[in-house]
Amino acid sequence: MHPLSVPAQENLTGTVHRIVDEAKIQDIHTHLYDPAFGELLLWGIDDLLVYHYLIAEAFRYLEIPYETFWAFPKTQQAEIIWKELFIEHSPISEACRGVITTLNQLGIDPRKNDLSTLRNWFSNWNVRDYITRCMELARVESICMTNSPFDDLERAIWIKGFDRDPRFHAALRIDPLLVSWPAASQLIASWGYETTSALTQKTFDEARRFLADWTQRMNARYVMVSLSPEFRFPASDECAVLIENVVLPHCREFGIPFALMPGVKRAVNPALRLAGDGVGWSDLQPVQNLCAGYPENKFLVTTLARETQHELCVLARKFRNLH
């Protein structure tokens, strides 16, 4: 017989569930924004419905041209998705269940409300109060944004400055710098940094100065990039050379991790815009090489393909600088 009696086992199970349920969460990767960013912060029923997973799923049923859908205002796009995925078909996908779960947690029964009623419910909220309510329900105490100085709208807000919501932290996203260096170098140069497409020591120094300025401006918690399944390290291509000579020294200097998300296949279906990215299997040897070759750097890694999760977990047990 088990040393614990049945009542004791049930009590232990209940205690574990209670502790987990009450634990506060620090969400270390989101695409949310501090409310000071205005329309860049997406919230409300329409923004829930036009999430890119749901757009891609809706086009499994829609027969209209992509261009026609994109020409519609957001409200009409949301109505199309609501009709196709929640009225005409059962919302059984992970993305659809996310919407249903959100509404249920907010105390809304979507089976008893049409879209106009849901919009009216959200319209009665102040955005900051709504954020507070959502964080309370999810037991989230802090949120890490995804922030790109290469986004014109976002960049202007950072440069102007704003009163920051202490619950929102920044993460510095640098995809253009690593995946399209010739164009990025020209852009960075136009902002006052002496960078050229040639990978010289001067360019490395100026690119590091660019990262330093933005890390300090944002108080960024880490530097991040999404990479294709073909990413290799070490290598002689621009991406690997810039990681070695710019990103890794910068992260060591500021004591922040370098976050990599290998496996994204950009614009598999360009007509779907943001919803058109795909996923591919990534060789994790480059991650192993980074962790082994740069023990003073810390790495955050999320592989997008399901098939690589176990291998990544094993690597995280072998390298204490990998999370």
Side-chain angles (χ1 to χ4, degrees):
M1 185 175 181
H2 196 280
L4 288 176
S5 64
V6 172
Q9 290 180 40
E10 291 176 348
N11 185 54
L12 177 60
T13 300
T15 299
V16 170
H17 280 288
R18 177 182 58 80
I19 291 172
V20 172
D21 286 343
E22 294 178 355
K24 296 294 185 181
I25 299 166
Q26 296 178 352
D27 196 330
I28 66 171
H29 174 64
T30 76
H31 290 272
L32 300 173
Y33 283 91
D34 184 309
F37 283 80
E39 293 185 359
L40 287 175
L41 170 61
L42 305 179
W43 71 286
I45 187 62
D46 288 336
D47 283 324
L48 277 174
L49 291 174
V50 297
Y51 181 57
H52 60 86
Y53 281 17
L54 292 169
I55 291 174
E57 185 178 342
F59 268 104
R60 300 295 299 168
Y61 306 109
L62 292 173
E63 296 182 357
I64 63 174
Y66 295 116
E67 295 79 9
T68 301
F69 178 83
W70 294 120
F72 292 143
K74 183 190 295 183
T75 52
Q76 191 169 352
Q77 293 175 359
E79 288 162 3
I80 291 171
I81 292 171
W82 178 257
K83 177 178 179 291
E84 289 294 337
L85 300 185
F86 295 86
I87 304 300
E88 299 292 337
H89 299 87
S90 297
I92 59 175
S93 70
E94 182 180 11
C96 287
R97 295 201 312 271
V99 174
I100 299 299
T101 299
T102 299
L103 295 176
N104 283 332
Q105 288 293 310
L106 290 169
I108 303 168
D109 185 348
R111 295 170 299 181
K112 298 179 180 179
N113 294 279
D114 59 24
L115 193 51
S116 61
T117 303
L118 294 174
R119 284 171 171 157
N120 184 62
W121 186 90
F122 279 96
S123 71
N124 290 319
W125 280 92
N126 169 281
V127 63
R128 291 184 183 273
D129 291 340
Y130 178 75
I131 290 170
T132 298
R133 181 57 178 153
C134 289
M135 293 179 72
E136 288 173 347
L137 288 171
R139 287 175 289 277
V140 172
E141 62 180 7
S142 66
I143 291 170
C144 199
M145 305 178 284
T146 298
N147 305 106
S148 173
F150 296 95
D151 181 287
D152 291 337
L153 293 175
E154 184 176 343
R155 175 183 171 80
I157 296 171
W158 283 109
I159 291 176
K160 181 180 178 181
F162 57 94
D163 293 329
R164 297 187 64 169
D165 186 320
R167 299 171 296 181
F168 286 78
H169 307 303
L172 176 57
R173 185 155 193 163
I174 60 168
D175 292 44
L177 189 148
L178 294 180
V179 303
S180 54
W181 172 247
S185 66
Q186 293 182 21
L187 196 56
I188 294 171
S190 73
W191 295 332
Y193 301 88
E194 297 180 47
T195 55
T196 68
S197 59
L199 298 179
T200 64
Q201 187 59 51
K202 179 66 173 179
T203 287
F204 296 152
D205 293 341
E206 287 296 283
R208 284 186 61 180
R209 185 165 70 88
F210 167 76
L211 292 183
D213 287 347
W214 278 95
T215 296
Q216 292 169 327
R217 178 177 283 118
M218 294 178 174
N219 188 23
R221 300 303 178 93
Y222 57 88
V223 176
M224 65 189 300
V225 64
S226 292
L227 296 166
S228 76
E230 291 75 36
F231 169 66
R232 298 293 181 267
F233 188 93
S236 59
D237 60 78
E238 292 167 337
C239 179
V241 171
L242 287 165
I243 287 175
E244 180 179 4
N245 292 279
V246 176
V247 179
L248 295 178
H250 168 77
C251 290
R252 288 195 299 271
E253 178 184 355
F254 283 82
I256 56 178
F258 180 33
L260 304 96
M261 290 170 285
V264 62
K265 301 178 83 170
R266 289 180 171 86
V268 170
N269 183 352
L272 277 173
R273 301 188 183 181
L274 284 179
D277 287 352
V279 62
W281 176 85
S282 296
D283 183 357
L284 293 188
Q285 186 63 48
V287 174
Q288 179 179 320
N289 295 341
L290 283 164
C291 292
Y294 300 89
E296 295 181 358
N297 280 94
K298 294 181 179 179
F299 300 94
L300 304 175
V301 178
T302 299
T303 56
L304 301 186
R306 185 188 302 270
E307 294 80 6
T308 50
Q309 301 305 314
H310 177 66
E311 183 182 357
L312 183 60
C313 288
V314 171
L315 280 177
R317 290 201 297 266
K318 309 307 173 185
F319 294 100
R320 61 183 180 180
N321 57 339
L322 172 61
H323 178 71

